[in-house]
Amino acid sequence: MTSRTPRDSRLRLVRAPHPRAETRGEAPRDTSRPLSAAPGAVSDRRARRPAPRPPEGTPAPAELARAARAGLAAAVRVARWADAALRPGPRRSGSAPDGTGTGTLSDATAERAAAELGLTTDQVRADWDTARLAGLIEVHGDSARPGWRLRAWNRDDTAVLRGWVALFDAWSLAHPAPPALAPAAVAEVVEAMPQVLSFLQLSAGPVPVPQLLDLLDQRVTELRTERCEIPYGPQPEPVPAGCPENAPLPALLDWALCGLATVGALTYAEGQATLTPLGSWAVWVKLEQICVAAQSPAGHIEQSAEEMLRGCARLRPNAARAEYRAWLAARTVGSAVTDLLTAARGEDALLRGLAFEALRVVGAPAEAEVRTVLDEASLRPYALLWLAEQEGADPEDVHLVLSREESTWLWIDTAAAVADHGEAQVLVRHLESAVQPTVPALLEEVRRAGHPRTVQVLVALAAAHPDPALAKAVRRAAFQVHTGGE
């Protein structure tokens, strides 16, 4: 990332693979070309690979989704309350604003929710944080709105399971470490826990804590060796036992197991830990890096814009454009453009990119309505790029229509689409498409962008990235955004 010139980085941001390509797990192709100029010679035939099968004894997806719904029922309840009580619009006469600030409920709002839901304010705050980490709630300024997963909660098992996996990835945010534990030691344990979880998954039963402690000790030592932490020059005296920097590993393991138990990934009692069926499945998903099964590539003409776009998500560019043309031919231009922009306004970032791909097929007749969305933050970067292409901008310079802030917003939005629908390695590759020349600069601007999916994107990137030091920095940024701290 640091080896590129700023101009090269800018070009890669604009020419980064579209979410549709990223969800297929493909390597970027010809990233110097505009999105609307994909090579016509690309075959529309897609080689199908057999879907990996989960370990024997893994419950069916419907049963796993029921368990996830049960575990997140309290968070869903608060999210639905927020949908009704905190949605944008004129406030009741004489009422005070219901502030959420950076995403933390104000005292007044927490007390109001507690009174209306019959909970304590601590319960409301805990459920609110869980809902945010699971993608059920998105915060916009001083208001909140439901995420796309909440909209699909009762009818889409895949959305439910992805929401639970997002919470699973963010277990260390859902259950913050006690202040007495040194941050550096906490970060090491977070990095080491995937191996501990893999061992639990392979064991397929209860594992004594002393055995997990030995494994954690070995893994932490390996991480330090891999980072080549060899001291140079005169060294200070050893840190006395009992100081925060020398936090005991048993306390760290206890915190980690309690955190994973809090999100429902395992049970932890009587000196043993056991993965739940959901936890075992999630660990297997991470190991296999499976993606959502492809949808049917045809038969979308009579469907709504959202359903049509979802159906085209797994198609190659030529086949998708053919589906767009068929769908558009069955409608008037005005109603089709309106429906596509409505789908783009939804909470699913993937649909935003796909909707503007379909609008490229519409062309000039959509221009007037596309210009009306320039004041909408979530659609503005897409609309600016679309308009620049319609006006004949040089493909190499089309990125210049975006401000730095708009480019960062688009980078986060694309990353959100990949995190929701793609594979881990694609999200790692997306890091290289950022306009910022260094990772610290990217994280600083991402924190300021105000995108509602920032925390989920950073948590997913930290979970996927193979570089422990970079993952640690990204995880710290996610925590700072989540807590509103510095």
Side-chain angles (χ1 to χ4, degrees), residues 132-143:
R132 289 181 61 217
L133 293 173
L136 299 170
I137 289 175
E138 294 180 358
V139 176
H140 297 259
D142 65 348
S143 63

Side-chain angles (χ1 to χ4, degrees), residues 54 58-69 156-158 160-161 278 281:
T58 301
E63 185 176 343
L64 290 170
R66 281 196 295 271
R69 285 188 177 97
D156 190 339
D157 289 348
T158 297
V160 173
L161 291 174
L278 262 178
W281 170 80

Side-chain angles (χ1 to χ4, degrees), residues 6-7 9-16 377-382 384-385 397-415 430-431 433-436 442 445-446 449 451:
R7 175 171 172 78
S9 297
R10 286 195 298 269
L11 289 174
R12 287 182 62 81
L13 172 64
V14 176
R15 304 303 168 209
S378 62
L379 301 186
R380 180 175 173 81
Y382 295 93
L384 287 172
L385 292 176
D397 296 326
V398 68
H399 67 279
L400 297 176
V401 303
L402 299 182
S403 68
R404 183 75 164 237
E405 293 76 17
E406 290 160 352
S407 295
T408 301
W409 179 282
L410 182 60
W411 185 90
I412 302 172
D413 213 44
T414 304
H430 182 61
L431 181 64
S433 72
V435 63
Q436 293 78 8
L442 169 65
E445 295 190 28
V446 164
H451 194 290

Side-chain angles (χ1 to χ4, degrees), residues 44 134 180 197 211 223 228 437 446:
D44 287 334
L197 289 168
Q211 193 172 356
L223 289 171
C228 299
V446 164

Side-chain angles (χ1 to χ4, degrees), residues 314-399:
R314 296 289 175 169
L315 302 182
R316 293 184 182 274
N318 285 347
R321 280 193 289 271
E323 288 294 312
Y324 298 153
R325 292 189 185 98
W327 186 85
L328 291 166
R331 291 158 178 79
T332 63
V333 171
S335 65
V337 172
T338 299
D339 290 347
L340 288 170
L341 290 175
T342 299
R345 290 187 179 94
E347 286 75 26
D348 192 343
L350 176 65
L351 295 190
R352 262 189 289 285
L354 295 178
F356 277 85
E357 285 289 297
L359 288 169
R360 287 180 172 88
V361 174
V362 177
E367 181 174 348
E369 194 156 357
V370 169
R371 288 189 181 279
T372 65
V373 305
L374 288 174
D375 292 332
E376 299 180 36
S378 62
L379 301 186
R380 180 175 173 81
Y382 295 93
L384 287 172
L385 292 176
W386 188 94
L387 290 167
E389 292 171 9
Q390 289 297 312
E391 293 167 0
D394 188 321
E396 295 297 324
D397 296 326
V398 68
H399 67 279

Side-chain angles (χ1 to χ4, degrees), residues 12-362:
R12 287 182 62 81
L13 172 64
V14 176
R15 304 303 168 209
H18 192 272
R20 181 179 62 240
E22 296 189 331
T23 58
R24 294 197 301 264
E26 298 176 354
R29 297 191 303 271
D30 193 11
T31 55
S32 65
R33 297 172 64 88
L35 293 174
S36 59
V42 175
S43 170
D44 287 334
R45 291 176 297 179
R46 178 173 179 263
R48 293 181 180 271
R49 59 169 182 166
R53 299 182 66 85
E56 186 176 353
T58 301
E63 185 176 343
L64 290 170
R66 281 196 295 271
R69 285 188 177 97
L72 291 170
V76 169
R77 185 184 182 193
V78 168
R80 295 199 188 284
W81 176 87
D83 181 23
L86 303 182
R87 67 176 61 197
R91 297 190 179 100
R92 298 179 302 275
S93 176
S95 66
D98 291 304
T100 57
T102 60
T104 302
L105 286 176
S106 67
D107 291 340
T109 303
E111 290 171 2
R112 176 185 167 196
E116 294 183 11
L117 297 176
L119 303 171
T120 67
T121 55
D122 288 342
Q123 289 174 319
V124 168
R125 292 186 186 280
D127 294 340
W128 172 269
D129 281 345
T130 298
R132 289 181 61 217
L133 293 173
L136 299 170
I137 289 175
E138 294 180 358
V139 176
H140 297 259
D142 65 348
S143 63
R145 73 181 186 192
W148 71 272
R149 287 179 183 139
L150 184 65
R151 294 298 194 202
W153 197 253
N154 293 331
R155 57 180 169 80
D156 190 339
D157 289 348
T158 297
V160 173
L161 291 174
R162 282 187 175 274
W164 187 86
V165 170
L167 179 63
F168 170 75
D169 285 340
W171 66 267
S172 61
L173 296 181
H175 185 72
L181 298 179
V186 168
E188 286 182 334
V189 169
V190 172
E191 292 175 23
M193 283 309 292
Q195 183 163 321
V196 175
L197 289 168
S198 297
F199 180 75
L200 280 167
Q201 200 263 348
L202 291 172
S203 299
V207 178
V209 169
Q211 193 172 356
L212 297 177
L213 187 60
D214 288 342
L215 178 61
L216 180 63
D217 190 15
Q218 293 173 22
R219 183 55 182 153
V220 169
T221 301
E222 290 172 359
L223 289 171
R224 292 173 179 172
T225 302
E226 290 169 3
R227 288 196 293 267
C228 299
E229 292 184 350
I230 303 174
Y232 291 90
Q235 300 300 307
E237 293 296 322
V239 178
C243 289
E245 291 80 0
N246 200 25
L249 207 56
L252 289 162
L253 178 61
D254 179 73
W255 161 71
L257 294 177
C258 287
L260 288 161
T262 297
V263 300
L266 53 78
T267 59
Y268 176 39
E270 299 179 355
Q272 295 181 325
T274 309
L275 284 179
T276 63
L278 262 178
S280 178
W281 170 80
V283 173
W284 173 78
V285 167
K286 294 296 179 181
L287 293 174
E288 294 294 333
Q289 295 185 338
I290 62 173
C291 56
V292 180
Q295 299 185 28
S296 170
H300 306 299
I301 294 177
E302 296 181 1
Q303 296 178 340
S304 68
E306 179 177 342
E307 291 171 333
M308 181 272 295
L309 293 173
R310 291 194 187 282
C312 293
R314 296 289 175 169
L315 302 182
R316 293 184 182 274
N318 285 347
R321 280 193 289 271
E323 288 294 312
Y324 298 153
R325 292 189 185 98
W327 186 85
L328 291 166
R331 291 158 178 79
T332 63
V333 171
S335 65
V337 172
T338 299
D339 290 347
L340 288 170
L341 290 175
T342 299
R345 290 187 179 94
E347 286 75 26
D348 192 343
L350 176 65
L351 295 190
R352 262 189 289 285
L354 295 178
F356 277 85
E357 285 289 297
L359 288 169
R360 287 180 172 88
V361 174
V362 177

